[in-house]
């Protein structure tokens, strides 16, 4: 159903301030509506940073959560998928590619803080998922951010690339990743 903005605007202007406040409060109960209000109206300067901190806390909770799976790698795939989903939710209202890259880097740092023995399992898909996330980070840093940011991310990305290439180079996705970024 198409919305006639002129009619909607007329109807909204007829509402009292109290009714408008009640409507906004009711809509703000939904997370996406609240995030939209925060970023665009309530806190334009630091709203995205607040959402970043919230997303980071949610990822920390996901990291502590137990996931079911036959092996540790299967459990890690499910955990990583949940983290990637949370990053996607974060990017709906925030347009800052820098904050998105920081969140992806944070998730990758959690992954690579594990022993390298977790990588290299044949049938888990974990290496593949980590490789995709690293590829996304490289794409964000190389194509979406100003070139000056490359210096901030370069060492960490090269470290991740080195670990992945040493442990999981048999997977095409990882094999196709660069050896290092400049």
């Amino acid at each position: 159903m198409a919305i006639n903005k002129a009619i909607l605007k007329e109807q909204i202007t007829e509402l009292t301030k109290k009714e408008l406040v009640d409507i906004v409060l009711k809509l703000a109960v939904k997370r996406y509506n609240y995030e939209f209000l925060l970023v665009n109206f309530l806190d334009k300067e630091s709203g995205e940073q607040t959402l970043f901190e919230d997303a980071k806390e949610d990822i920390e909770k996901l990291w502590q959560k137990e996931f079911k799976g036959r092996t540790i790698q299967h459990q890690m795939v499910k955990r990583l998928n949940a983290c990637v989903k949370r990053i996607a939710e974060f990017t709906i209202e925030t347009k800052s590619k820098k904050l998105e890259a920081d969140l992806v880097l944070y998730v990758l740092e959690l992954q690579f803080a594990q022993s390298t023995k977790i990588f290299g399992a044949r049938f888990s898909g974990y290496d593949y998922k980590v490789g995709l996330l690293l590829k996304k980070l490289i794409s964000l840093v190389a194509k979406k951010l100003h070139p000056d940011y490359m210096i901030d991310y370069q060492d960490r990305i090269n470290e991740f690339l080195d670990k992945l290439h040493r442990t999981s180079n048999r997977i095409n996705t990882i094999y196709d990743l660069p050896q290092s970024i400049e």
Side-chain angles (χ1 to χ4, degrees), residues 24 60 68 90 126:
V24 169
E60 288 173 8
K68 294 184 188 239
F90 169 76
Y126 179 66

Side-chain angles (χ1 to χ4, degrees), residues 55-67:
K56 199 171 175 181
E57 286 177 20
D58 291 345
I59 288 171
E60 288 173 8
K61 289 176 187 173
L62 288 171
W63 190 252
Q64 301 302 321
K65 183 179 175 184
E66 290 292 324
F67 286 87

